[in-house]
Amino acid sequence: MKKFILATFLFIGSFATQAQEGLTWHTNIDEAIAVSKVENKPLFLFFTGSDWCGWCIRLQKEVFKTPEFTTWAKEKVVLVELDFPRRTPQAEALKMQNNLLQQFFQVRGYPSVRIAKAGLATDGKTSFELLGETGYGAGGPNAWLKGPEQMVAKFVPYTADEQKAAKKAAKKKKA
C-alpha cells in the first residue's frame, strides 16, 4: 500500500513540475527524443538539484518561469528536466536514467543545461550530438537566452525519414 501511495504521489508530482508556466518538462528521455524528432527541435536538458541547489532554484525563478523563456522554449526546444533531489523520492528507473545522462554529458555541477540532438550510434543505441552547454548566469532571461540561442542555431534538422520513423513509433505507442 505504501508503494502505491508513493507511486501516486510521484506521478501527480511529475505533472505539477511539467505544468510550470504552460511548458511541458519531460522527465522520460525516450519520450522527449520522440517529441524532439516529431517537432524537429533540439533537446534542452536541464540537470538540477530541485530541492537543495540554490543556483538551480534561482535559475528557475529568474529565467525559466518568465514569459520570455516560455515563448522561446515553446518555439525552439523540447524541455527535459533531469533532477537529482536529496529529499524528494524518485523511482529507481528515473534515477538510473538521470545518472546515465549525467555521466554521458559529464555534468560536474548544478545547474547545468545541455542543448543536444538525439541520434543513433552505429550499434543502434541512442547517442547525442552536443550543441552547447551553460549554467546559471545573472542578468535575467534575455541575457541568459543569448547562449542557448547560439546553441540552437547549430541544430541541423532531422531528416524526413527520422521524423517519419518517430511519428510511426508514436502512433504505435498510442495503439
Side-chain angles (χ1 to χ4, degrees):
M1 184 65 168
K2 287 181 183 180
K3 287 183 180 180
F4 175 75
I5 293 170
L6 180 61
T8 303
F9 174 76
L10 290 173
F11 182 73
I12 292 169
S14 71
F15 281 111
T17 300
Q18 293 177 1
Q20 163 196 324
E21 300 297 321
L23 293 174
T24 299
W25 285 89
H26 298 274
T27 55
N28 180 304
I29 192 66
D30 294 327
E31 290 173 9
I33 289 169
V35 172
S36 171
K37 289 180 178 180
V38 169
E39 295 184 4
N40 215 2
K41 297 176 184 175
L43 296 163
F44 180 100
L45 306 165
F46 175 47
F47 293 86
T48 182
S50 66
D51 64 3
W52 60 270
C53 172
W55 292 108
C56 302
I57 294 164
R58 195 167 175 181
L59 180 58
Q60 289 245 7
K61 182 180 174 185
E62 292 177 13
V63 178
F64 298 169
K65 292 184 179 183
T66 65
E68 295 89 345
F69 180 80
T70 299
T71 300
W72 179 85
K74 284 181 178 181
E75 180 184 327
K76 303 281 185 167
V77 295
V78 173
L79 299 169
V80 183
E81 182 183 66
L82 302 160
D83 196 10
F84 296 84
R86 291 186 179 162
R87 295 180 299 276
T88 307
Q90 276 185 322
E92 284 304 312
L94 184 60
K95 282 183 191 178
M96 190 167 77
Q97 169 202 269
N98 293 357
N99 284 326
L100 287 171
L101 289 166
Q102 177 190 35
Q103 290 172 14
F104 180 86
F105 286 103
Q106 300 176 353
V107 173
R108 302 281 183 252
Y110 304 99
S112 284
V113 172
R114 304 292 194 268
I115 308 285
K117 179 181 178 183
L120 290 177
T122 54
D123 61 3
K125 293 182 180 178
T126 301
S127 69
F128 296 94
E129 174 191 352
L130 181 63
L131 304 174
E133 58 187 80
T134 190
Y136 173 80
N142 293 325
W144 190 86
L145 282 169
K146 287 178 183 176
E149 185 62 37
Q150 291 174 347
M151 297 171 210
V152 169
K154 298 177 188 176
F155 176 71
V156 175
Y158 291 103
T159 66
D161 288 340
E162 289 172 314
Q163 286 188 289
K164 193 183 301 182
K167 287 176 185 173
K168 188 176 179 181
K171 283 182 184 178
K172 238 183 198 181
K173 264 193 170 176
K174 286 183 182 178

